[in-house]
Amino acid sequence: MNDDFRSAAHAAAELVADYLDGVPGRPVWQPMDPAERAALLEWELPEDGVGLEELLKAVGERIMPHPMGNGSSRFFGWVNSSPQPAGVLATLAASAMNPSSAGGDHADVHLERAMVRWIAELVGFPHPAGGGILTSGTSMATIVCLATARNRAARNAGRDVREDGLAGLPPLVGYVTGEAHSCVRKAAELLGLGSKHLRVVPTDADGHLLLDGLERAIAEDRAAGRLPFLVVASAGTVGTGAVDPFEPIADLAAREGLWFHVDGAYGAFGILDETIRHRYAGMDRADSLALDPHKWLGVPVDCGCALVRDAEELRGAFSLVPSYLRDDAAGDLGWFSEYGTEQTRPFRSLKVWASIAHRGRTGVARDIAHCTAQARRLGEWVEQDPELELLAPVETSIVAFRYRPQGVAEETVQQLNSRLPVAIQLRGQVFVTGAVYQGREILRACLLNASTTDADVRLLLDEVKSAGAELLAGLRTSN
Amino acid sequence: MNDDFRSAAHAAAELVADYLDGVPGRPVWQPMDPAERAALLEWELPEDGVGLEELLKAVGERIMPHPMGNGSSRFFGWVNSSPQPAGVLATLAASAMNPSSAGGDHADVHLERAMVRWIAELVGFPHPAGGGILTSGTSMATIVCLATARNRAARNAGRDVREDGLAGLPPLVGYVTGEAHSCVRKAAELLGLGSKHLRVVPTDADGHLLLDGLERAIAEDRAAGRLPFLVVASAGTVGTGAVDPFEPIADLAAREGLWFHVDGAYGAFGILDETIRHRYAGMDRADSLALDPHKWLGVPVDCGCALVRDAEELRGAFSLVPSYLRDDAAGDLGWFSEYGTEQTRPFRSLKVWASIAHRGRTGVARDIAHCTAQARRLGEWVEQDPELELLAPVETSIVAFRYRPQGVAEETVQQLNSRLPVAIQLRGQVFVTGAVYQGREILRACLLNASTTDADVRLLLDEVKSAGAELLAGLRTSN
């Protein structure tokens, strides 16, 4: 069987190299033919097995022609990056070894400790031993961090949540802005806190948390007998990439005894760009920071990371060692499975290591700076174009804009921009997604790919205008 | 860069093929040299990048010599399997494509729908469209299932947990046995239910849930104003692989209005073996079933799966679609990210598909049956050996036993068996782990590998007795 495996592994190497070579020449994305979609959805569980060669053939013919599109330098949708080639190779080795990085004395466990430290070093966050863990993504990292925050707050109110639960406790209240990622609300719901106890505090015009609004909300909640415990700030909001003012939030959190959590999923690594580094002042004062190496670092999906200032608090929120997992040799830090929700854990650290080490700190920083510079350029081009409108300052590498040809009524502009993302995607040249920002339908381009060129960015704007003009003509004809 | 990638991909193919070829000839596991361990732990973030070739060299020299051991046919520890070769190759293709299987119209999303269905078909669980999702493991699948159960129960009590949280609600109570996996308790803690509201109900001598104890506990809780809502049964307990009596539990759950959850992490796939299939009668009546393709199916870590009978209930527990993720073309089922906690989701389905399709249903069933047959044989050999003691019937493929040389006091037997796992592991011939079962220190062998031979199983027993005799001699000398 191993000879089979060896030749199949070489065939797989060719398959993925061909795939990656082909990305620039293909449409970014195209909808699947209904028959091909149905063939996948209705694929029958085979009674008998098929050889490795045949399986790879099926991957090449039925799967690889239908990617999400985020491998392309012309993919500007959501916050999905192209994978680092070194990280791709690492996934092969990681799955061949197939350890559980729960704990024990094998390479993956020790490498994960080092990689959590590397990530903390990259974003300038303090890293006590044990103060972090790789997760499936920031959604999970947020659950880990907020569970830790919740448990500390309840303990301060005389309650052991792990033992006693939340029933009978006054509501614990957290504070977010309207720009916070939905994973914060999902975490609050999962943790039994209730989304109505996640209060939305006001922002300034560009989406930054306003301190006086936060203070007022805290005072109201205290007066009503609720227990304020958490404030969440963003190191790059979903809609516009805005970075919240960390220093004053940290001051307030310290004064009010709140847990200060930073959602750095997409944006935390922006700190590596010297030109925008100043925006991140105070991020290192957070109690916890959640971020996604599978976004701006290009680590193949999935890889998030939770960094927590107080490692003991983190371990205390999750440690539970049944007899069959007892490991007398585990050392002071114990097992990773004591620091989060998972027992069996994949070997994520190898792809993190490869993705960072292939470029080194300088290479990673250069890639990040490339993206922010290009986003600023895109922002400038939008501002210079009378048919386009920039809707927020470009703080990191997200550009929020819309198509607004002159002399067109606001209602029609809304209609156009709500339809534009799909229309553009179908053309297959570039991929951009939409959002609603401050009541407006917008286009939202996120630049994460260091191989994206000026020409790619220009093409994005050309496509927006060309697809927009087509849509507009269609609307006028149908009216 | 792509030429570099192509040659590195071939080098990676050689590296992993060599690695897999080398597994049988190497010690199953050896502790790391302190200097090598420290080198990983203290690895410095490099300032400059290193080439792909050099990275692969480092993987071969610094990482691969230190595996967990679960690739070996002589690894009987925990519940960690050897990876399916087809699944290993699939991880390379999956990470090169690097989609987010959150939703949209790309191959990975449709393939995941098919694979959840395949898994449901394999274990004979009803599968409504949308009634399941791949997760990082059963820990996460359990959180997903229990959150859904919690929300339904609270709604029946007039409360919307997502909106309102648990504060002020009477305690929701779930029922487990002492043999339940710790992930159930961790889920209850995370969800804000509190572990004290997860009541431990009695079992029979072999670890099966006793119905009358459960009924009594429910009545007590109702009388005290608490809200019974959940019963968790196991399709293969951690300690001994016991399968709970599903039919009467399903009857009781229906009668009492409880959510019936089955933890099938390890054991659900045992249903594929005709010789033990009868034990699983009624598993298909559960409201939810959590299981791990990364265990008995050998899918490379990580891959769990949550199967939920009521797809709408599942979606209702998690759906939250912010404007930037709105997808008007998503169809009736929406996005996977509406059915669980993750937003960005890895392309797990490709390795599931490859791992199953390479063998087909018959091949998977044959592999499962090989393990259960060998476990029964191991159990017989233990029973025939006067120095060994079988501690529970072999119901699936876990064998709970201990070393008990004649004429040795119980206290010494306990001491010996608590030290045996590490002593055996250090010898590097076989890998087995321990547990405490019914107050006894035991050895617990889990058979998951279809390439494990009679000779491997014999070697396990030889090693237990030989290491045991050595330990005993050591104890006698030191006394």
Side-chain angles (χ1 to χ4, degrees):
Chain A
M1 187 199 70
N2 275 356
D3 277 351
D4 269 6
F5 179 84
R6 189 178 299 268
S7 72
H10 283 289
E14 282 296 304
L15 186 70
V16 301
D18 287 347
Y19 171 80
L20 294 172
D21 277 347
V23 167
R26 273 201 307 268
V28 174
W29 174 82
Q30 291 282 269
M32 291 185 71
D33 177 85
E36 291 182 88
R37 192 188 300 126
L40 292 185
L41 283 167
E42 292 157 20
W43 205 327
E44 289 284 337
L45 174 61
E47 197 54 31
D48 301 308
V50 298
L52 295 178
E53 199 181 336
E54 198 176 331
L55 288 176
L56 287 172
K57 192 159 167 284
V59 172
E61 292 175 0
R62 301 180 69 175
I63 306 295
M64 286 188 152
H66 308 296
M68 182 183 186
N70 52 320
S72 168
S73 62
R74 293 172 277 118
F75 185 92
F76 304 98
W78 302 298
V79 199
N80 296 94
S81 60
S82 178
Q84 279 294 311
V88 172
L89 297 178
T91 58
L92 180 68
S95 69
M97 293 186 70
N98 197 44
S100 169
S101 303
D105 187 18
H106 22 107
D108 52 293
V109 172
H110 309 310
L111 190 66
E112 180 162 340
R113 295 222 176 273
M115 289 310 106
V116 171
R117 174 171 51 76
W118 283 20
I119 292 166
E121 286 179 22
L122 282 174
V123 298
F125 197 76
H127 183 63
I133 187 168
L134 298 181
T135 66
S136 59
T138 286
S139 290
M140 198 63 226
T142 303
I143 290 167
V144 166
C145 293
L146 268 48
T148 308
R150 176 194 72 177
N151 292 9
R152 185 183 75 172
R155 199 177 53 248
N156 290 345
R159 171 74 69 108
D160 178 349
V161 169
R162 293 188 60 179
E163 178 77 13
D164 303 329
L166 290 164
L169 199 69
L172 295 168
V173 184
Y175 305 90
V176 295
T177 76
E179 301 305 309
H181 189 270
S182 53
C183 76
V184 178
R185 179 167 157 194
K186 284 186 89 163
E189 292 178 352
L190 190 78
L191 295 170
L193 300 169
S195 55
K196 79 174 184 199
H197 301 123
L198 205 58
R199 304 227 344 196
V200 178
V201 297
T203 60
D204 66 19
D206 294 327
H208 304 104
L209 186 146
L210 280 172
L211 268 289
D212 52 354
L214 173 56
E215 279 184 312
R216 217 163 28 240
I218 294 170
E220 280 171 24
D221 284 320
R222 290 207 200 282
R226 294 183 284 262
L227 302 174
F229 83 110
L230 169 75
V231 56
V232 178
S234 178
T237 57
V238 169
T240 69
V243 180
D244 279 319
F246 298 133
E247 288 287 10
I249 297 173
D251 289 339
L252 182 144
R255 213 161 53 231
E256 296 279 359
L258 305 189
W259 182 284
F260 172 27
H261 175 74
V262 171
D263 177 358
Y266 145 68
F269 292 106
I271 197 174
L272 284 162
D273 175 9
E274 291 301 330
T275 62
I276 63 169
R277 189 181 185 87
H278 59 280
R279 298 190 193 283
Y280 294 83
M283 186 165 78
D284 59 341
R285 294 176 59 194
D287 291 292
S288 56
L289 171 61
L291 71 174
D292 269 338
H294 69 207
K295 291 195 166 94
W296 218 341
L297 287 191
V299 173
V301 172
D302 59 352
C303 187
C305 181
L307 298 173
V308 178
R309 175 181 299 276
D310 185 336
E312 273 307 305
E313 197 72 58
L314 173 61
R315 189 178 186 178
F318 293 101
S319 182
L320 189 165
V321 184
S323 71
Y324 79 102
L325 292 169
R326 201 184 47 190
D327 182 359
D328 298 335
D332 289 349
L333 297 177
W335 281 36
F336 274 114
S337 47
E338 294 177 66
Y339 293 79
T341 60
E342 311 294 353
Q343 185 57 50
T344 302
R345 302 178 64 252
F347 190 179
R348 293 190 182 100
S349 61
L350 197 68
K351 60 188 178 183
V352 174
W353 166 78
S355 300
I356 297 174
H358 184 45
R359 293 173 289 173
R361 185 203 293 262
T362 53
V364 171
R366 189 176 53 237
D367 285 355
I368 302 274
H370 174 86
C371 297
T372 61
Q374 246 175 350
R376 283 191 297 276
R377 198 168 313 136
L378 172 56
E380 285 159 22
W381 289 344
V382 166
E383 285 194 296
Q384 288 158 11
D385 196 311
E387 293 184 39
L388 302 173
E389 181 184 14
L390 187 69
L391 293 164
V394 178
E395 295 191 15
T396 47
S397 77
I398 290 175
V399 183
F401 66 108
R402 61 178 186 166
Y403 175 59
R404 195 190 55 178
Q406 286 167 317
V408 173
E410 177 62 22
E411 191 193 344
T412 307
V413 171
Q414 287 280 80
Q415 216 175 358
L416 283 172
N417 283 277
S418 79
R419 294 188 190 175
L420 260 173
V422 170
I424 293 167
Q425 290 162 18
L426 287 174
R427 296 158 69 105
Q429 295 297 302
V430 300
F431 195 104
V432 69
T433 46
V436 176
Y437 178 66
Q438 298 181 338
R440 290 165 168 171
E441 298 280 349
I442 66 165
L443 300 170
R444 182 194 154 284
C446 181
L447 286 91
L448 290 173
N449 190 329
S451 64
T452 295
T453 62
D454 283 3
D456 293 328
V457 175
R458 273 276 174 222
L459 186 61
L460 168 62
L461 296 186
D462 291 346
E463 285 289 290
V464 168
K465 295 200 293 181
S466 157
E470 219 169 273
L471 279 177
L472 183 57
L475 282 180
R476 283 176 172 154
T477 311
S478 68
N479 285 346
Chain B
M1 187 200 71
N2 275 356
D3 276 352
D4 269 7
F5 179 84
R6 189 178 299 267
S7 71
H10 282 291
E14 283 295 304
L15 186 69
V16 300
D18 286 348
Y19 171 81
L20 294 173
D21 277 347
V23 166
R26 274 202 306 268
V28 174
W29 173 83
Q30 291 283 267
M32 291 185 71
D33 176 84
E36 291 182 88
R37 192 187 301 125
L40 292 185
L41 283 167
E42 293 157 21
W43 205 325
E44 290 284 336
L45 174 60
E47 197 56 30
D48 302 308
V50 299
L52 295 178
E53 200 183 333
E54 198 176 331
L55 288 176
L56 287 172
K57 193 160 167 279
V59 172
E61 290 176 0
R62 301 179 69 174
I63 306 296
M64 285 187 152
H66 309 295
M68 182 182 186
N70 52 320
S72 168
S73 62
R74 292 172 278 118
F75 185 91
F76 304 99
W78 302 298
V79 198
N80 297 92
S81 60
S82 179
Q84 279 294 312
V88 172
L89 297 178
T91 59
L92 180 67
S95 69
M97 292 186 71
N98 196 44
S100 169
S101 303
D105 186 19
H106 22 108
D108 51 294
V109 172
H110 309 310
L111 190 66
E112 180 163 339
R113 295 222 176 272
M115 289 309 107
V116 172
R117 175 171 50 76
W118 283 20
I119 292 166
E121 286 179 22
L122 282 174
V123 298
F125 197 76
H127 182 61
I133 186 167
L134 298 181
T135 66
S136 59
T138 286
S139 290
M140 197 64 226
T142 303
I143 290 167
V144 166
C145 295
L146 267 50
T148 308
R150 175 195 73 177
N151 292 10
R152 185 183 75 173
R155 197 176 56 249
N156 290 344
R159 170 75 67 109
D160 178 349
V161 169
R162 293 188 61 179
E163 176 78 12
D164 304 329
L166 291 163
L169 200 70
L172 295 168
V173 183
Y175 304 90
V176 295
T177 75
E179 301 304 310
H181 188 271
S182 53
C183 75
V184 178
R185 179 168 157 193
K186 284 186 89 163
E189 293 178 351
L190 190 78
L191 295 170
L193 300 169
S195 55
K196 81 174 182 198
H197 302 123
L198 206 58
R199 302 221 355 190
V200 178
V201 297
T203 60
D204 66 19
D206 293 328
H208 304 103
L209 188 145
L210 280 172
L211 270 287
D212 53 353
L214 173 55
E215 281 185 310
R216 216 164 27 240
I218 294 170
E220 278 172 24
D221 285 317
R222 290 206 199 281
R226 293 183 285 263
L227 303 174
F229 83 110
L230 169 76
V231 56
V232 178
S234 178
T237 58
V238 169
T240 69
V243 180
D244 279 319
F246 298 133
E247 288 286 11
I249 298 173
D251 289 339
L252 181 144
R255 212 160 55 231
E256 295 279 358
L258 305 189
W259 183 284
F260 173 26
H261 174 76
V262 171
D263 177 358
Y266 145 69
F269 293 104
I271 197 174
L272 284 162
D273 176 9
E274 292 300 332
T275 63
I276 63 170
R277 189 181 186 88
H278 60 280
R279 298 191 193 284
Y280 294 83
M283 186 166 77
D284 59 341
R285 294 177 59 196
D287 291 291
S288 57
L289 171 61
L291 70 173
D292 270 337
H294 70 205
K295 291 194 165 95
W296 217 340
L297 287 191
V299 174
V301 172
D302 58 354
C303 188
C305 182
L307 297 172
V308 179
R309 176 180 298 276
D310 185 336
E312 273 307 304
E313 197 72 60
L314 173 60
R315 188 178 187 180
F318 292 102
S319 182
L320 190 164
V321 185
S323 71
Y324 79 101
L325 291 170
R326 203 182 45 190
D327 182 359
D328 299 335
D332 288 349
L333 297 176
W335 281 36
F336 275 113
S337 47
E338 295 177 65
Y339 293 79
T341 61
E342 311 293 352
Q343 185 56 49
T344 302
R345 303 179 63 253
F347 190 179
R348 292 190 182 100
S349 61
L350 196 68
K351 61 188 179 184
V352 174
W353 166 77
S355 301
I356 297 174
H358 184 45
R359 293 173 288 174
R361 184 203 295 262
T362 54
V364 170
R366 189 177 52 237
D367 285 354
I368 302 273
H370 174 86
C371 297
T372 61
Q374 247 176 350
R376 282 192 297 275
R377 198 168 313 137
L378 172 56
E380 285 159 21
W381 289 344
V382 165
E383 286 193 297
Q384 289 158 10
D385 196 313
E387 294 184 37
L388 301 174
E389 182 185 12
L390 188 68
L391 294 164
V394 179
E395 296 191 14
T396 46
S397 77
I398 290 174
V399 183
F401 66 109
R402 62 177 186 167
Y403 175 61
R404 195 189 57 175
Q406 286 167 318
V408 174
E410 178 62 22
E411 192 192 346
T412 307
V413 171
Q414 287 280 79
Q415 216 174 356
L416 283 172
N417 283 278
S418 78
R419 295 188 192 176
L420 260 173
V422 170
I424 293 167
Q425 290 161 18
L426 287 173
R427 296 157 70 104
Q429 296 297 302
V430 300
F431 195 104
V432 69
T433 46
V436 177
Y437 178 67
Q438 298 181 337
R440 289 166 170 172
E441 298 280 350
I442 66 165
L443 301 170
R444 183 195 154 283
C446 181
L447 287 92
L448 291 173
N449 192 327
S451 65
T452 294
T453 63
D454 284 3
D456 292 328
V457 175
R458 273 278 173 219
L459 186 61
L460 168 63
L461 295 185
D462 292 345
E463 284 288 291
V464 167
K465 294 199 294 181
S466 158
E470 218 171 272
L471 279 176
L472 183 59
L475 282 180
R476 283 177 171 155
T477 311
S478 67
N479 285 346

